[in-house]
Amino acid sequence: MFKRKRAVGGLLTLALAVGVAAGAPASGDAPRGNAAGTVRATGENTALGSADPTGRPRLCELLRRLTTVDGGPGALAEVRDRTGSAVLTSGVADVRSGAPIRRDSRFRIGSMTKPFVATVMLQLVGERRVVLDDPVERYLPGVVRGHGNDGRVITVRQLLQHTSGVPDVLDHLGPAEILKDPLAHHDARDLVDIALAHPPTFEPGTGWRYSNTGYLLAGLIIEKVTGHTYGEEIRRRIITPLGLRETYVPGDDPAIPGPHPRGYVRPGADAPLMDITAVNPSVAGASGEMISSGTDLNRFLDALVRGELLRPAQLREMTRTRPTGNPDGRAYGLGLESRPLPCGGLYWGHTGDMLGSETAGGATVDGRQATVMVNLDPGGSDAQSDDIKAAVQAALCESRPSPSR
């Protein structure tokens, strides 16, 4: 969700003023009891063994980097391929106790919520209850209006592909404002209205720019069409059928169910970490409120790219990408993005930022999946995001494709 997460100017001053509300500063950044940069692997198939006991030297190197030079307290990578699955961890779940990251950790997934929302929307398209190229006005009459924004000329497809030009709410509601009261409820319509008080970033369909507002609107469309919240539809259509036992749409609940690392923010370049584990995720809503695990995210992404969740026509629509202008070759479909792999081919996935964690995940059509998480956001180094994405790529390249796919 927090795509501009490095821009934390003013956050330090605010945090010092409202430290109790935002969570007291952690007592020191250096992990205790589980040395930073020590990589542990569980569930590893010994057939992968080589000079490196995990068989994944590049992934291990990146996990060490994330918890040393990049400054993250802890990191987790869960990898799945035809040989089985493995969880690799580095650093700590709690900087005070030094407790290690657990292999079954749950965490806030931020914008990795978007593929779930887009999947539900495309299922509704397959049921002929939503038409991708219909205007938003058909489903949400009068909602997208003012300051040049017009739901009569913006389509559902454009919301899902970030080509609508609708201003991003996070351009006008940053982490510092949220930390004034991290447990406050945020209504989706109120968040949309904050964004629509500003002019569009471009004419619909003429550009590409990431907008969380588009997914808040997508959530409202799902509710209008089905009579249920987008979270209820995700549970019914995705979580329950796939047996995702560690995945939640929490609504206003500030807690993370089950084992989880503490979530941290760094309010300034030289500031101590602050604990932001408890936060009301309604501030992200359909753009990024979900909680999941490496196991569940890998299962979801695998099912999605293999066609378990969408009919062929709708999966083709989801994977029809357009360039984003990113030099790494990133292209965006409908709630799902593709990136080239350094070992050849490409993978499908998403990234996610939410207060307290940064996540990225990806899957290939031949049966490889990887999810990586660091329990720091915002306030990580500029390299943290790059190294998380590189870790996903390394995990996929060091895995073995399934011969049956």
Side-chain angles (χ1 to χ4, degrees):
M1 179 182 175
F2 293 101
K3 285 295 175 182
R4 282 157 299 285
K5 60 193 181 64
R6 305 301 169 214
V8 291
L11 192 53
L12 176 58
T13 302
L14 173 68
L16 293 174
V18 297
V20 174
S27 56
D29 291 352
R32 297 201 304 259
N34 184 21
T38 300
V39 178
R40 291 165 171 79
T42 56
E44 190 72 55
N45 189 313
T46 55
L48 294 175
S50 61
D52 185 304
T54 70
R56 296 181 169 93
R58 175 61 176 159
L59 176 57
C60 288
E61 175 191 347
L62 287 161
L63 289 179
R64 293 186 190 103
R65 179 178 173 85
L66 284 165
T67 57
T68 53
V69 296
D70 290 349
L76 174 148
E78 181 149 350
V79 188
R80 184 168 171 249
D81 60 22
R82 72 178 179 88
T83 66
S85 63
V87 181
L88 286 73
T89 63
S90 182
V92 299
D94 185 328
V95 299
R96 288 182 170 176
S97 70
I101 298 275
R102 287 183 49 162
R103 61 161 289 132
D104 56 350
S105 291
R106 286 80 154 156
F107 40 86
R108 302 191 190 280
I109 66 171
S111 286
M112 286 194 76
T113 300
K114 291 179 172 70
F116 287 84
V117 173
T119 298
V120 170
M121 188 75 83
L122 285 163
Q123 288 181 350
L124 293 172
V125 171
E127 296 163 11
R128 300 187 177 181
R129 300 170 72 183
V130 172
V131 177
L132 277 174
D133 294 311
D134 270 0
V136 173
E137 182 77 7
R138 173 179 174 181
Y139 306 101
L140 301 175
V143 171
V144 182
R145 293 291 179 85
H147 299 89
N149 301 288
D150 190 346
R152 294 169 295 186
V153 295
I154 295 171
T155 67
V156 175
R157 182 192 301 275
Q158 290 167 347
L159 294 181
L160 298 179
Q161 199 159 35
H162 302 296
T163 56
S164 69
V166 171
D168 187 355
V169 64
L170 289 188
D171 285 338
H172 311 289
L173 178 69
E177 184 68 21
I178 295 165
L179 283 178
K180 288 180 180 178
D181 188 358
L183 300 181
H185 169 77
H186 293 264
D187 185 78
R189 276 296 303 272
D190 292 341
L191 293 170
V192 167
D193 288 344
I194 289 171
L196 297 182
H198 304 273
T201 53
F202 51 79
E203 290 294 319
T206 64
W208 188 92
R209 186 174 180 183
Y210 197 90
S211 175
N212 290 287
T213 313
Y215 275 78
L216 294 172
L217 289 165
L220 292 173
I221 291 172
I222 291 170
E223 182 171 357
K224 186 65 176 284
V225 169
T226 66
H228 305 115
T229 67
Y230 86 92
E232 291 171 320
E233 291 297 311
I234 285 175
R235 281 188 285 269
R236 183 173 73 85
R237 294 168 176 269
I238 301 174
I239 293 175
T240 298
L242 294 182
L244 306 182
R245 294 185 295 272
E246 300 163 355
T247 300
Y248 313 90
V249 186
D252 282 310
D253 190 346
I256 300 176
H260 60 273
R262 309 300 297 178
Y264 297 99
V265 299
R266 189 184 300 278
D270 299 315
L273 297 177
M274 292 186 66
D275 191 319
I276 192 65
T277 307
V279 61
N280 188 323
S282 65
V283 70
S287 72
E289 78 167 88
M290 289 179 65
I291 293 166
S292 192
S293 67
T295 299
D296 277 7
L297 286 174
N298 285 348
R299 171 69 180 118
F300 165 68
L301 289 172
D302 184 46
L304 184 57
V305 301
R306 287 175 51 217
E308 289 184 30
L309 293 170
L310 294 174
R311 298 171 182 175
Q314 279 70 61
L315 185 57
R316 284 194 297 271
E317 294 288 359
M318 177 176 261
T319 54
R320 282 177 55 194
T321 60
R322 60 151 297 151
T324 64
N326 194 307
D328 69 359
R330 174 191 183 204
Y332 206 93
L334 304 184
L336 196 65
E337 61 186 23
S338 67
R339 293 177 189 265
L341 282 168
C343 54
L346 56 81
Y347 70 100
W348 297 95
H350 214 281
T351 58
D353 303 280
M354 182 57 177
L355 290 169
S357 66
E358 181 175 5
T359 307
T364 64
V365 295
D366 61 14
R368 293 169 284 165
Q369 308 99 49
T371 295
V372 177
M373 180 278 302
V374 173
N375 58 335
L376 172 63
D377 190 86
S381 72
D382 289 339
Q384 178 173 299
S385 292
D386 291 338
D387 285 341
I388 288 175
K389 288 189 279 283
V392 171
Q393 294 173 354
L396 294 173
C397 283
E398 292 175 332
S399 293
R400 300 184 183 187
S402 169
S404 63
R405 296 171 184 165

